[in-house]
Amino acid sequence: MLHIKCPYCGMRSQNEFSYGGDASVKRPELNKEISDEEWDNFVYNRKSLRGKHLELWQHLSGCRQWIKVERDTTTHEIFNTYKADEEIS
Amino acid sequence: MNQKFRLENGGLINRDKKLSFKFNGKTYYGYEGDTLASALIANGVHLVGRSFKYHRPRGFFGAGVDEPYAIVQLYRNNETEPNIKATEQELFEGLEAKSVNCWPSVNFDIGAINNFLKIFLPAGFYYKTFMWPKSFWYRVYEPFIRKAAGLGVASTKHDKERYEHKYEYCDLLIAGSGPSGLASAYAAAKNGARVILAEDKPRFGGSLLTSDVNIGNQSGEDWAKSIISELKEMPNVVVKNRSQVFGYYDHNMLVMSEKVSDHLPKTKKHHPKQRLWYIRAKEVLISSGSIERPIVFGNNDTPGVMLSSAAKEYLKVYGVLVGKNPLVFTNNDSGYETAIEFKKNGINPIILDSRVNPQSEIIDEAINLGIKINFSYVVVAAHGYKKVSSADIAKISDDKKQLGTIENIKCDCICVSGFWTPTIHLASQSGNKTKFKEEIDAFVPGTSKQNETTLGAANGIFTLEETLKDSFIAGQDLSKKITNKDNKISFPNVVEKKSSQHDKFWCVPLPKGKSYKRFLDFQNDVAVSDIEIALKEGYRSIEHVKRYTTLGMATDQGKTSNLNGLQLVSDIENKVVPAVGHTTFRPPYTPISIGAIVGREVGKHSKPTRKSPMHSWHEKNNAVFVDAGVWLRPRYYKQGNETLFEASKREAKNVRTNVGVCDVTTLGKIDIKGPDAAELLNRVYTNAWLKLPVGKARYGVMLREDGIVMDDGTTTRISENHYHMTTTTAQAANVLSHLEYYLQLVWPELNVNVVSTTEQWAGAAIAGPKSRKLLEKLFPKNDVSNEGLPFMGYMESDLFGVKARIFRISFSGELAYEVNVESNNGQFMWEKIIELGQEFQVQPYGTEALSTLRIEMGHVAGSELDGRTISYDTSLEGLISKKKDFIGKRSLNREAFTSSDRQKIVGVIPLDKKTSIPEGSHLVKDAQAPLPNKKLGHISASCWSVEHDNPFSLAILKDGKNMIGEKLFVMSPLKNKVIPVEIVSSHYVDPKGERVRS
């Protein structure tokens, strides 16, 4: 079971969180004309990365905040966690 | 029965407390502190089971967790448990156990015919034999294998024992209380670190209990005792025996199973049987020791052949002789320690040492004691069926390939030592990249991935002095980093005998003309010849060899067989062991009972139960409940001998003619506040929300980004910046997360707050033509006329002094209202509705009537919004705004979603107007068509229409728009039904929707 540092609540067990997928995906702006390909990339297409991955988790049984977690998908090492609006260097 | 193999004195057992127990129906005696195994051996019982494949007689091989054979069915306090190792089960008064995998008895076992068929039972036998004919699999092969396989029988009774889970955090978790565990725990504890020290056996001390050493002028055993008692007194230390750390998971989380009551005849009141510990440790010290390795020779599975360390443990810990005429077969000095213990107790062992001319202190001691030693000698084969009676021995050439003249000597046990294998399971599970250590022919932990350090024998260090030194330092250094304290500990003086180099010899060659089975894996009956066949057949990867031959599988996990198996594969392949590599060590290290894994989450505690504030009223009024997610909802209120069908019809009918009341507390409720609340709703729902006036409700549908309908419900504008959203019962949690996702991540600029208020409001739906009359009685001060409170109107009022919200919304399709009050007033509201509704013939109705009402109205619910349908499919496309963008809109122009024959919701009536249509049935054009018969759609929901008094169903049908009036067939292969039906509009009652507006 992973141990995830919620930027608001501190270190918590994985079972308090729910997984939210790739954090680098940006939703296209509302009312903007975009191609089918761009839309498909947003809705469906994900890279199944091996290694460092920035992903979303929601602290569901805690503060209910969506956070960003930088995790290695092979070793499960967590390098850093960020608030949703935090700058990531 | 006297214990004829029990020594007069010695051992750590309590001779003052004699215990009686039964094995295979026969009564024996042992002492407190015995294991079932030591007590049986004391009574001369060595035949305890039959082997897995060949049903060969099985005795004892080890003295603890390493035991591959002695697995029994245990009976304790009217419960039975399979898969219990006799070497781990502590004796208690009245214990009963039986052998497994034998029928009709362990002495006469019919399955043993497999032993004579063994040439027909090679590696992969089951794979090869049971392949064809296919039809035989279910009828013949599978039942046969099921009967033949398995070690023991699980009870089918409810387990009345309690199992607990515990979560714990510590600075250092130390697995194993041998010398390295004790030393590191002591050093870390002295530095103030929070330490958990876990020992799987009942006694602390590990190898110190059996070895002849001296630490700080005390015997090893006494030193262990003094350290443990000091640790137990320290507030920062938790010391646990009978506790196996069996799994090392991510982020330094380990799981430990503590057997709290298994050693007692009966679990004490308020105690659990077992406790599972989830431990998150900053540092983990693995001091799990090592397991003695067998040497492979002919018939080496005969009862009486066992590890020399086990023989020594039975002697020193339990005061029990495994035999009175022992043969010790060794390739290193450990066998001598066992022989010396025998000799000290008046027994004359013979040592066969495969080495040519080894020299060490221990060997000298054995010689001085007058023990007979044969160098360059090996055991070629054991003889005896149910117990060893003699052994063929021979001189072996220096290159270990040629056997000399074979002689047969009498013996009643053979104690084998093929050197030591470090127990690296936990380190390997943590992700440690293990490395092969040439000097000890075994793998040891290499580069750590997590915060784990392996010490002592588990790390391939077999001298006590070095082990203690390493462990004191590791305990000190790791704790210093955490506590910033540095308490210097002086190393105790250590006295131990120096060992000579072991011999890399591990397998005795077969003499010419003999075909003895030489076993590698004792639990799974894997012999040298099986591995040879697997390799001949082309299996190369060790992982494949393992699965094909079952080497190292099952509960044993290769504890004694792993390295010899690898040696053999590398010998045949002409490789070195590290090039072959080892198979993955997976948790659990030892079997864990299902009860311990489940913990307290059994029966009604397997999930939380949510009850509405009106629950006790429902109970008192004969409600029959149904699970709705984790909610309990009244399905119907039973009157007299009514069936579900009769009751739901009565309840639904009463809504259509008078008035009914339904508990709708379970609907998800989300409170939405903020200046941008309308904008959020406008983006989330498919229809327009910006112009909804205060005091009005609106129905809305929300999509996922892929265009599929996610949920529906009404949202009411309470005040300028305050909305009350309702969701379906099932989707309440998902919708809240969905809103939070968009507010926090996608549109953080929107100034809106959302919070669940499902639990804060109790809800009652009042539906039926007389509902307004009832409402007038409930709220006499308010104008609830069609003008005062029109359809989709909202009003705040008080219900006899209780704050109430009134929504004029309808799921039943009748004139209807939903009244919400704060939860703690729910029961009061409900009782008032029932009381004042008497003159209008009010009746409560459950979910079954609720479904009937919505189905015949053509209102969609979860069975239509099933994660596969879009707005068009459910005839909700009228609610799609063309003017604005919203979540999922861009997906709606996908080709499949816009095709002209897209599926759509329709109504279905059986032509005979009698036959009920099973939900989930398929709709087909031609009932006689050959299979696969093309499916045109499926029945999503069925009811008995109370309005028309005949069955009515909803279906999602291909090109449903153009199918009204068509005749089709409903097919349900599950119910074996074919029903001719007519397709009609999904709005079967009040198609214009006049009632809700009346």
Side-chain angles (χ1 to χ4, degrees), chain B residues 59-63 66-70 87 292-295 300-302 305-311 314 414 416 522 560:
Chain B
F60 301 96
F61 195 69
D66 49 343
E67 175 61 45
Y69 300 147
T87 53
E292 201 162 24
R293 214 181 297 164
I295 301 177
N300 57 337
D301 64 328
T302 312
V305 177
M306 64 166 64
L307 294 173
S308 93
S309 58
Y314 287 119
I414 303 176
V416 187
F522 303 99
T560 48

PDB file of all heavy atoms in Angstrom, chain B residues 59-63 66-70 87 292-295 300-302 305-311 314 414 416 522 560:
ATOM      1  N   GLY B  59       6.623 -38.003   7.005  1.00  0.00           N
ATOM      2  CA  GLY B  59       6.886 -37.817   8.432  1.00  0.00           C
ATOM      3  C   GLY B  59       7.155 -36.360   8.731  1.00  0.00           C
ATOM      4  O   GLY B  59       6.457 -35.494   8.228  1.00  0.00           O
ATOM      5  N   PHE B  60       8.155 -36.120   9.563  1.00  0.00           N
ATOM      6  CA  PHE B  60       8.550 -34.745   9.857  1.00  0.00           C
ATOM      7  C   PHE B  60       9.887 -34.464   9.197  1.00  0.00           C
ATOM      8  O   PHE B  60      10.757 -35.312   9.173  1.00  0.00           O
ATOM      9  CB  PHE B  60       8.694 -34.549  11.375  1.00  0.00           C
ATOM     10  CG  PHE B  60       7.431 -34.841  12.122  1.00  0.00           C
ATOM     11  CD1 PHE B  60       7.228 -36.084  12.703  1.00  0.00           C
ATOM     12  CD2 PHE B  60       6.442 -33.884  12.225  1.00  0.00           C
ATOM     13  CE1 PHE B  60       6.062 -36.367  13.384  1.00  0.00           C
ATOM     14  CE2 PHE B  60       5.269 -34.156  12.901  1.00  0.00           C
ATOM     15  CZ  PHE B  60       5.071 -35.407  13.483  1.00  0.00           C
ATOM     16  N   PHE B  61      10.047 -33.272   8.669  1.00  0.00           N
ATOM     17  CA  PHE B  61      11.304 -32.925   8.023  1.00  0.00           C
ATOM     18  C   PHE B  61      11.982 -31.772   8.751  1.00  0.00           C
ATOM     19  O   PHE B  61      13.195 -31.696   8.816  1.00  0.00           O
ATOM     20  CB  PHE B  61      11.043 -32.545   6.569  1.00  0.00           C
ATOM     21  CG  PHE B  61      12.288 -32.521   5.720  1.00  0.00           C
ATOM     22  CD1 PHE B  61      12.931 -33.700   5.411  1.00  0.00           C
ATOM     23  CD2 PHE B  61      12.804 -31.331   5.256  1.00  0.00           C
ATOM     24  CE1 PHE B  61      14.086 -33.695   4.647  1.00  0.00           C
ATOM     25  CE2 PHE B  61      13.959 -31.320   4.479  1.00  0.00           C
ATOM     26  CZ  PHE B  61      14.601 -32.510   4.177  1.00  0.00           C
ATOM     27  N   GLY B  62      11.199 -30.859   9.294  1.00  0.00           N
ATOM     28  CA  GLY B  62      11.758 -29.696   9.992  1.00  0.00           C
ATOM     29  C   GLY B  62      11.190 -29.601  11.390  1.00  0.00           C
ATOM     30  O   GLY B  62      10.599 -30.549  11.903  1.00  0.00           O
ATOM     31  N   ALA B  63      11.372 -28.422  11.984  1.00  0.00           N
ATOM     32  CA  ALA B  63      10.851 -28.231  13.339  1.00  0.00           C
ATOM     33  C   ALA B  63      10.106 -26.899  13.452  1.00  0.00           C
ATOM     34  O   ALA B  63       9.796 -26.445  14.534  1.00  0.00           O
ATOM     35  CB  ALA B  63      11.981 -28.280  14.351  1.00  0.00           C
ATOM     36  N   ASP B  66       9.677 -24.223   8.250  1.00  0.00           N
ATOM     37  CA  ASP B  66      10.265 -24.856   7.069  1.00  0.00           C
ATOM     38  C   ASP B  66       9.648 -26.214   6.757  1.00  0.00           C
ATOM     39  O   ASP B  66       9.959 -26.812   5.741  1.00  0.00           O
ATOM     40  CB  ASP B  66      11.775 -25.020   7.269  1.00  0.00           C
ATOM     41  CG  ASP B  66      12.127 -25.657   8.606  1.00  0.00           C
ATOM     42  OD1 ASP B  66      11.259 -25.668   9.495  1.00  0.00           O
ATOM     43  OD2 ASP B  66      13.258 -26.129   8.761  1.00  0.00           O
ATOM     44  N   GLU B  67       8.766 -26.705   7.613  1.00  0.00           N
ATOM     45  CA  GLU B  67       8.233 -28.064   7.461  1.00  0.00           C
ATOM     46  C   GLU B  67       7.407 -28.204   6.173  1.00  0.00           C
ATOM     47  O   GLU B  67       6.410 -27.525   5.995  1.00  0.00           O
ATOM     48  CB  GLU B  67       7.336 -28.378   8.675  1.00  0.00           C
ATOM     49  CG  GLU B  67       6.615 -29.716   8.591  1.00  0.00           C
ATOM     50  CD  GLU B  67       7.571 -30.888   8.512  1.00  0.00           C
ATOM     51  OE1 GLU B  67       8.538 -30.920   9.269  1.00  0.00           O
ATOM     52  OE2 GLU B  67       7.345 -31.767   7.661  1.00  0.00           O
ATOM     53  N   PRO B  68       7.820 -29.097   5.272  1.00  0.00           N
ATOM     54  CA  PRO B  68       7.027 -29.268   4.053  1.00  0.00           C
ATOM     55  C   PRO B  68       5.944 -30.351   4.144  1.00  0.00           C
ATOM     56  O   PRO B  68       5.008 -30.362   3.373  1.00  0.00           O
ATOM     57  CB  PRO B  68       8.076 -29.677   3.016  1.00  0.00           C
ATOM     58  CG  PRO B  68       9.139 -30.359   3.801  1.00  0.00           C
ATOM     59  CD  PRO B  68       9.121 -29.781   5.180  1.00  0.00           C
ATOM     60  N   TYR B  69       6.097 -31.297   5.094  1.00  0.00           N
ATOM     61  CA  TYR B  69       5.211 -32.464   5.093  1.00  0.00           C
ATOM     62  C   TYR B  69       4.045 -32.387   6.065  1.00  0.00           C
ATOM     63  O   TYR B  69       2.911 -32.659   5.712  1.00  0.00           O
ATOM     64  CB  TYR B  69       5.966 -33.721   5.583  1.00  0.00           C
ATOM     65  CG  TYR B  69       7.152 -34.177   4.830  1.00  0.00           C
ATOM     66  CD1 TYR B  69       8.210 -34.773   5.509  1.00  0.00           C
ATOM     67  CD2 TYR B  69       7.215 -34.081   3.460  1.00  0.00           C
ATOM     68  CE1 TYR B  69       9.318 -35.253   4.851  1.00  0.00           C
ATOM     69  CE2 TYR B  69       8.328 -34.556   2.800  1.00  0.00           C
ATOM     70  CZ  TYR B  69       9.378 -35.139   3.491  1.00  0.00           C
ATOM     71  OH  TYR B  69      10.444 -35.622   2.840  1.00  0.00           O
ATOM     72  N   ALA B  70       4.417 -32.159   7.327  1.00  0.00           N
ATOM     73  CA  ALA B  70       3.496 -32.483   8.425  1.00  0.00           C
ATOM     74  C   ALA B  70       2.370 -31.459   8.517  1.00  0.00           C
ATOM     75  O   ALA B  70       2.302 -30.650   9.412  1.00  0.00           O
ATOM     76  CB  ALA B  70       4.260 -32.572   9.738  1.00  0.00           C
ATOM     77  N   THR B  87       4.471 -28.782  13.113  1.00  0.00           N
ATOM     78  CA  THR B  87       5.697 -28.264  13.732  1.00  0.00           C
ATOM     79  C   THR B  87       5.507 -26.860  14.289  1.00  0.00           C
ATOM     80  O   THR B  87       6.358 -26.357  14.994  1.00  0.00           O
ATOM     81  CB  THR B  87       6.825 -28.214  12.691  1.00  0.00           C
ATOM     82  OG1 THR B  87       6.351 -27.487  11.552  1.00  0.00           O
ATOM     83  CG2 THR B  87       7.235 -29.601  12.267  1.00  0.00           C
ATOM     84  N   GLU B 292      18.105 -24.791   6.991  1.00  0.00           N
ATOM     85  CA  GLU B 292      19.071 -25.795   6.577  1.00  0.00           C
ATOM     86  C   GLU B 292      18.648 -26.398   5.238  1.00  0.00           C
ATOM     87  O   GLU B 292      17.464 -26.569   4.977  1.00  0.00           O
ATOM     88  CB  GLU B 292      19.194 -26.884   7.637  1.00  0.00           C
ATOM     89  CG  GLU B 292      20.488 -27.638   7.533  1.00  0.00           C
ATOM     90  CD  GLU B 292      20.811 -28.398   8.811  1.00  0.00           C
ATOM     91  OE1 GLU B 292      19.874 -28.708   9.568  1.00  0.00           O
ATOM     92  OE2 GLU B 292      21.986 -28.679   9.051  1.00  0.00           O
ATOM     93  N   ARG B 293      19.650 -26.713   4.427  1.00  0.00           N
ATOM     94  CA  ARG B 293      19.394 -27.219   3.075  1.00  0.00           C
ATOM     95  C   ARG B 293      19.549 -28.743   3.097  1.00  0.00           C
ATOM     96  O   ARG B 293      20.503 -29.241   3.704  1.00  0.00           O
ATOM     97  CB  ARG B 293      20.466 -26.621   2.158  1.00  0.00           C
ATOM     98  CG  ARG B 293      20.015 -26.329   0.759  1.00  0.00           C
ATOM     99  CD  ARG B 293      21.190 -25.757  -0.029  1.00  0.00           C
ATOM    100  NE  ARG B 293      21.682 -24.497   0.495  1.00  0.00           N
ATOM    101  CZ  ARG B 293      22.865 -23.974   0.179  1.00  0.00           C
ATOM    102  NH1 ARG B 293      23.678 -24.594  -0.647  1.00  0.00           N
ATOM    103  NH2 ARG B 293      23.234 -22.826   0.688  1.00  0.00           N
ATOM    104  N   PRO B 294      18.656 -29.456   2.463  1.00  0.00           N
ATOM    105  CA  PRO B 294      18.828 -30.909   2.435  1.00  0.00           C
ATOM    106  C   PRO B 294      19.913 -31.325   1.432  1.00  0.00           C
ATOM    107  O   PRO B 294      20.275 -30.541   0.558  1.00  0.00           O
ATOM    108  CB  PRO B 294      17.469 -31.431   1.961  1.00  0.00           C
ATOM    109  CG  PRO B 294      16.637 -30.243   1.636  1.00  0.00           C
ATOM    110  CD  PRO B 294      17.451 -29.015   1.771  1.00  0.00           C
ATOM    111  N   ILE B 295      20.410 -32.560   1.584  1.00  0.00           N
ATOM    112  CA  ILE B 295      21.219 -33.163   0.517  1.00  0.00           C
ATOM    113  C   ILE B 295      20.309 -34.178  -0.165  1.00  0.00           C
ATOM    114  O   ILE B 295      19.520 -34.860   0.492  1.00  0.00           O
ATOM    115  CB  ILE B 295      22.473 -33.875   1.081  1.00  0.00           C
ATOM    116  CG1 ILE B 295      23.344 -32.861   1.850  1.00  0.00           C
ATOM    117  CG2 ILE B 295      23.281 -34.516  -0.049  1.00  0.00           C
ATOM    118  CD1 ILE B 295      24.573 -33.497   2.495  1.00  0.00           C
ATOM    119  N   ASN B 300      14.897 -39.999  -0.252  1.00  0.00           N
ATOM    120  CA  ASN B 300      15.187 -39.053   0.827  1.00  0.00           C
ATOM    121  C   ASN B 300      13.919 -38.439   1.414  1.00  0.00           C
ATOM    122  O   ASN B 300      13.974 -37.506   2.190  1.00  0.00           O
ATOM    123  CB  ASN B 300      16.144 -37.955   0.342  1.00  0.00           C
ATOM    124  CG  ASN B 300      15.608 -37.210  -0.861  1.00  0.00           C
ATOM    125  OD1 ASN B 300      14.767 -37.737  -1.595  1.00  0.00           O
ATOM    126  ND2 ASN B 300      16.062 -35.995  -1.072  1.00  0.00           N
ATOM    127  N   ASP B 301      12.751 -38.960   0.993  1.00  0.00           N
ATOM    128  CA  ASP B 301      11.492 -38.481   1.566  1.00  0.00           C
ATOM    129  C   ASP B 301      10.941 -39.462   2.592  1.00  0.00           C
ATOM    130  O   ASP B 301       9.858 -39.251   3.120  1.00  0.00           O
ATOM    131  CB  ASP B 301      10.463 -38.278   0.450  1.00  0.00           C
ATOM    132  CG  ASP B 301      10.104 -39.586  -0.244  1.00  0.00           C
ATOM    133  OD1 ASP B 301      10.987 -40.469  -0.324  1.00  0.00           O
ATOM    134  OD2 ASP B 301       8.963 -39.736  -0.709  1.00  0.00           O
ATOM    135  N   THR B 302      11.670 -40.519   2.877  1.00  0.00           N
ATOM    136  CA  THR B 302      11.172 -41.521   3.827  1.00  0.00           C
ATOM    137  C   THR B 302      11.035 -40.901   5.226  1.00  0.00           C
ATOM    138  O   THR B 302      11.914 -40.157   5.642  1.00  0.00           O
ATOM    139  CB  THR B 302      12.173 -42.705   3.892  1.00  0.00           C
ATOM    140  OG1 THR B 302      12.478 -43.083   2.554  1.00  0.00           O
ATOM    141  CG2 THR B 302      11.593 -43.886   4.648  1.00  0.00           C
ATOM    142  N   VAL B 305      13.871 -39.293   7.730  1.00  0.00           N
ATOM    143  CA  VAL B 305      14.905 -38.455   7.120  1.00  0.00           C
ATOM    144  C   VAL B 305      14.511 -37.029   7.429  1.00  0.00           C
ATOM    145  O   VAL B 305      13.395 -36.609   7.101  1.00  0.00           O
ATOM    146  CB  VAL B 305      15.000 -38.652   5.592  1.00  0.00           C
ATOM    147  CG1 VAL B 305      16.036 -37.707   5.000  1.00  0.00           C
ATOM    148  CG2 VAL B 305      15.314 -40.094   5.255  1.00  0.00           C
ATOM    149  N   MET B 306      15.356 -36.284   8.112  1.00  0.00           N
ATOM    150  CA  MET B 306      15.000 -34.901   8.429  1.00  0.00           C
ATOM    151  C   MET B 306      16.232 -34.022   8.532  1.00  0.00           C
ATOM    152  O   MET B 306      17.361 -34.501   8.488  1.00  0.00           O
ATOM    153  CB  MET B 306      14.191 -34.842   9.725  1.00  0.00           C
ATOM    154  CG  MET B 306      14.942 -35.288  10.951  1.00  0.00           C
ATOM    155  SD  MET B 306      14.061 -34.801  12.442  1.00  0.00           S
ATOM    156  CE  MET B 306      12.572 -35.730  12.278  1.00  0.00           C
ATOM    157  N   LEU B 307      15.976 -32.732   8.632  1.00  0.00           N
ATOM    158  CA  LEU B 307      17.079 -31.790   8.736  1.00  0.00           C
ATOM    159  C   LEU B 307      17.791 -31.988  10.069  1.00  0.00           C
ATOM    160  O   LEU B 307      17.149 -32.207  11.100  1.00  0.00           O
ATOM    161  CB  LEU B 307      16.561 -30.350   8.635  1.00  0.00           C
ATOM    162  CG  LEU B 307      15.964 -29.981   7.276  1.00  0.00           C
ATOM    163  CD1 LEU B 307      15.332 -28.587   7.340  1.00  0.00           C
ATOM    164  CD2 LEU B 307      17.018 -30.029   6.185  1.00  0.00           C
ATOM    165  N   SER B 308      19.117 -31.899  10.047  1.00  0.00           N
ATOM    166  CA  SER B 308      19.864 -32.143  11.282  1.00  0.00           C
ATOM    167  C   SER B 308      19.573 -31.047  12.300  1.00  0.00           C
ATOM    168  O   SER B 308      19.542 -31.294  13.499  1.00  0.00           O
ATOM    169  CB  SER B 308      21.356 -32.253  10.980  1.00  0.00           C
ATOM    170  OG  SER B 308      22.000 -31.022  11.112  1.00  0.00           O
ATOM    171  N   SER B 309      19.297 -29.836  11.831  1.00  0.00           N
ATOM    172  CA  SER B 309      18.982 -28.747  12.760  1.00  0.00           C
ATOM    173  C   SER B 309      17.658 -29.024  13.471  1.00  0.00           C
ATOM    174  O   SER B 309      17.476 -28.647  14.620  1.00  0.00           O
ATOM    175  CB  SER B 309      18.908 -27.421  12.018  1.00  0.00           C
ATOM    176  OG  SER B 309      17.940 -27.492  10.990  1.00  0.00           O
ATOM    177  N   ALA B 310      16.726 -29.688  12.753  1.00  0.00           N
ATOM    178  CA  ALA B 310      15.444 -30.011  13.363  1.00  0.00           C
ATOM    179  C   ALA B 310      15.640 -31.051  14.462  1.00  0.00           C
ATOM    180  O   ALA B 310      15.084 -30.929  15.557  1.00  0.00           O
ATOM    181  CB  ALA B 310      14.471 -30.531  12.306  1.00  0.00           C
ATOM    182  N   ALA B 311      16.473 -32.052  14.162  1.00  0.00           N
ATOM    183  CA  ALA B 311      16.747 -33.083  15.162  1.00  0.00           C
ATOM    184  C   ALA B 311      17.335 -32.450  16.421  1.00  0.00           C
ATOM    185  O   ALA B 311      16.977 -32.792  17.550  1.00  0.00           O
ATOM    186  CB  ALA B 311      17.703 -34.120  14.584  1.00  0.00           C
ATOM    187  N   TYR B 314      14.571 -30.558  18.333  1.00  0.00           N
ATOM    188  CA  TYR B 314      13.710 -31.467  19.107  1.00  0.00           C
ATOM    189  C   TYR B 314      14.420 -31.899  20.392  1.00  0.00           C
ATOM    190  O   TYR B 314      13.813 -31.998  21.447  1.00  0.00           O
ATOM    191  CB  TYR B 314      13.293 -32.679  18.260  1.00  0.00           C
ATOM    192  CG  TYR B 314      12.264 -32.324  17.200  1.00  0.00           C
ATOM    193  CD1 TYR B 314      12.523 -32.483  15.844  1.00  0.00           C
ATOM    194  CD2 TYR B 314      11.029 -31.792  17.591  1.00  0.00           C
ATOM    195  CE1 TYR B 314      11.579 -32.131  14.895  1.00  0.00           C
ATOM    196  CE2 TYR B 314      10.083 -31.431  16.646  1.00  0.00           C
ATOM    197  CZ  TYR B 314      10.362 -31.599  15.298  1.00  0.00           C
ATOM    198  OH  TYR B 314       9.428 -31.233  14.374  1.00  0.00           O
ATOM    199  N   ILE B 414      17.733 -40.403   9.741  1.00  0.00           N
ATOM    200  CA  ILE B 414      18.882 -39.842   9.022  1.00  0.00           C
ATOM    201  C   ILE B 414      18.773 -38.323   9.116  1.00  0.00           C
ATOM    202  O   ILE B 414      17.810 -37.723   8.633  1.00  0.00           O
ATOM    203  CB  ILE B 414      18.916 -40.279   7.536  1.00  0.00           C
ATOM    204  CG1 ILE B 414      18.918 -41.817   7.439  1.00  0.00           C
ATOM    205  CG2 ILE B 414      20.114 -39.686   6.827  1.00  0.00           C
ATOM    206  CD1 ILE B 414      18.842 -42.350   6.005  1.00  0.00           C
ATOM    207  N   VAL B 416      20.065 -34.796   8.111  1.00  0.00           N
ATOM    208  CA  VAL B 416      20.785 -34.317   6.940  1.00  0.00           C
ATOM    209  C   VAL B 416      21.143 -32.844   7.077  1.00  0.00           C
ATOM    210  O   VAL B 416      20.309 -32.031   7.494  1.00  0.00           O
ATOM    211  CB  VAL B 416      19.918 -34.479   5.675  1.00  0.00           C
ATOM    212  CG1 VAL B 416      20.724 -34.154   4.436  1.00  0.00           C
ATOM    213  CG2 VAL B 416      19.356 -35.872   5.581  1.00  0.00           C
ATOM    214  N   PHE B 522       9.770 -31.518  -1.353  1.00  0.00           N
ATOM    215  CA  PHE B 522       9.104 -32.568  -0.577  1.00  0.00           C
ATOM    216  C   PHE B 522       7.606 -32.335  -0.480  1.00  0.00           C
ATOM    217  O   PHE B 522       6.836 -33.259  -0.352  1.00  0.00           O
ATOM    218  CB  PHE B 522       9.735 -32.647   0.810  1.00  0.00           C
ATOM    219  CG  PHE B 522      11.205 -32.905   0.747  1.00  0.00           C
ATOM    220  CD1 PHE B 522      12.124 -31.872   0.886  1.00  0.00           C
ATOM    221  CD2 PHE B 522      11.685 -34.187   0.527  1.00  0.00           C
ATOM    222  CE1 PHE B 522      13.482 -32.117   0.809  1.00  0.00           C
ATOM    223  CE2 PHE B 522      13.046 -34.429   0.445  1.00  0.00           C
ATOM    224  CZ  PHE B 522      13.950 -33.391   0.589  1.00  0.00           C
ATOM    225  N   THR B 560      12.787 -25.285   1.505  1.00  0.00           N
ATOM    226  CA  THR B 560      13.911 -26.229   1.549  1.00  0.00           C
ATOM    227  C   THR B 560      14.358 -26.681   0.157  1.00  0.00           C
ATOM    228  O   THR B 560      15.403 -27.281   0.009  1.00  0.00           O
ATOM    229  CB  THR B 560      13.533 -27.494   2.361  1.00  0.00           C
ATOM    230  OG1 THR B 560      12.260 -27.949   1.909  1.00  0.00           O
ATOM    231  CG2 THR B 560      13.464 -27.200   3.837  1.00  0.00           C
TER     232      THR B 560
END
